Amino acid sequence: MTSERTKFDEHMMAIALRMAERTIGAAAPNPAVGAVIAVPETGELISRAATARGGRPHAEPQAIACAARAKGATIYVTLEPCSHHGQTGPCADAIIAAGLARAVVAIEDPDPRVGGRGIDRLRAAGLEVIRGIGAPAARWLTRGHIVRVTERRPMVTLKMALNGRGGIARGDGVHPLFVTGPNARAHGHLLRARHDAILVGAGTVRDDDPELTCRLPGLLDRSPVRVMLSRNLSQRADTQLAKSTDKAPLWIFTSSETSPEARANRQALGAEVATVQVVGGQLWLPAVMEALVARGITRLLLEGGPTVWRAFADASLVDEIVLYMAPDPAHGPANEARARAALQHWLGAMPVALVETRHIDPDTMWRFRRVTHKEGH
């Protein structure tokens, strides 16, 4: 492959990745996938598409349908085209039928129904297949799908908002107490729109009484499923969560200790209540994760307080941390050293890599990813 073609392939795959990003948080239970059809020889971009809301149609057939011509062109896909019959036909077959001559695939699909078969089918039909371009970005973009298949859990993003000294603020039971500014809080609402579900513990509901919806203009319909963990449902029933089930679903996980009356009260308000076992004094998180995956959740935003943060961290269930920190009146804007010290304090010794720093006036945001021996960062 010439260096010019490689550079063009990288550029087209970058566009496919950006297309996939558009549908993150809206494609579940399917992964967010981007597809681009282009002609390397002429530098022409013919069409581009992403997985539709709700997961169908897939990106590849949409890109083919939008293409003025596809025969002899190259398709760039962020995830291996499917090769099995589900509610729609195999994307690999659609690519072959369109007469595409070449496919550039960022990563293989770990789903056992695919697992390399899509690529094999394309090659058997005579297409040239290139793998690995854009792979690191595609793995994180598709991580919710990957861990759903390989670990039976959603990808978990932990959101933290701390003051300049690394502390938290507790609400008065009626209103939350904010430590960061409106710009950081708006960015946090964007995170909600990019996840399938958002989870808090009973303590956050008791202290802050949050609604946990996305309230950004243009994204009001992108509120995720709200999930609450409460061992015995001892908090009051008429919370903002319970009173807003018309805006977004509310799923409650509790234990067998909860009274039938408490369950009935929440269900009467529109919540779904499920029972999981208690292990070590806490609701068994692997069972919660399994239940969420079974309901099609692939990306989970964790917005609880310190107890929930530490429980997920100790269970090695945190993939990514988005930390917002306010400036310290005595020392000015927060820095990475203070951010890492705060993570150590609240989460313990979790190896993380810093992948993004952003100033969101007057606060600072850091994005960390958990490092594992298996996959690096």
Side-chain angles (χ1 to χ4, degrees), residues 87-348:
Q87 295 188 28
T88 58
C91 290
D93 289 357
I95 291 171
I96 294 166
L100 287 151
R102 185 167 171 264
V104 179
V105 179
I107 58 174
E108 291 185 8
D109 191 338
D111 190 323
R113 297 173 298 176
V114 186
R117 295 181 183 88
I119 288 175
D120 289 344
R121 186 172 296 186
L122 296 179
R123 284 180 171 153
L127 278 79
E128 177 189 5
V129 179
I130 304 297
R131 296 183 301 168
I133 292 178
R139 286 192 192 97
W140 272 100
L141 192 67
T142 319
R143 186 167 178 80
H145 170 69
I146 293 172
V147 296
R148 178 186 69 83
V149 171
T150 60
E151 301 181 29
R152 294 300 297 168
R153 68 173 181 87
M155 174 186 173
V156 176
T157 300
L158 169 56
K159 174 195 165 188
M160 306 173 71
L162 305 175
N163 62 31
R165 297 176 297 280
I168 62 171
R170 295 189 182 277
D172 58 7
V174 180
H175 302 290
L177 179 62
F178 299 116
V179 296
T180 55
N183 292 331
R185 296 200 297 275
H187 192 271
H189 278 251
L190 180 60
L191 281 183
R192 292 177 179 178
R194 292 170 62 84
H195 288 78
D196 309 327
I198 177 171
L199 183 146
V200 296
T204 295
V205 176
R206 181 189 62 245
D207 294 343
D208 297 343
D209 193 22
E211 187 177 280
L212 300 181
T213 53
C214 177
R215 297 186 290 277
L216 292 178
L219 293 176
L220 299 179
D221 63 340
R222 290 285 296 273
S223 292
V225 172
R226 286 90 50 80
V227 180
M228 182 178 74
L229 305 184
S230 178
R231 180 169 170 174
N232 53 28
L233 284 179
S234 60
Q235 70 282 353
R236 73 178 199 269
D238 62 336
T239 61
Q240 291 298 320
L241 285 175
K243 292 189 294 186
S244 58
T245 55
D246 59 324
K247 298 179 180 179
L250 172 61
W251 300 346
I252 298 173
F253 289 93
T254 189
S255 74
S256 58
E257 304 169 7
T258 298
S259 69
E261 293 79 13
R263 293 171 184 270
N265 287 340
R266 274 63 174 190
Q267 290 168 335
L269 290 168
E272 296 185 33
V273 183
T275 301
V276 296
Q277 68 186 114
V278 174
V279 177
Q282 296 179 331
L283 296 178
W284 183 231
L285 292 182
V288 174
M289 297 295 97
E290 179 79 22
L292 292 179
V293 162
R295 297 290 300 273
I297 302 301
T298 64
R299 293 171 57 86
L300 177 66
L301 181 63
L302 190 61
E303 271 202 34
T307 300
V308 171
W309 298 346
R310 191 59 181 260
F312 272 76
D314 288 347
S316 297
L317 292 174
V318 176
D319 298 283
E320 191 170 64
I321 302 161
V322 177
L323 168 60
Y324 303 93
M325 186 175 283
D328 187 329
H331 301 96
N335 55 40
E336 184 184 343
R338 261 186 276 166
R340 287 184 175 274
L343 293 186
Q344 173 76 24
H345 173 75
W346 293 113
L347 306 180

Side-chain angles (χ1 to χ4, degrees), residues 351-365:
V352 294
L354 178 63
V355 296
E356 181 185 3
T357 303
R358 182 180 299 187
H359 182 65
I360 306 178
D361 188 42
D363 310 305
T364 306
M365 185 212 80

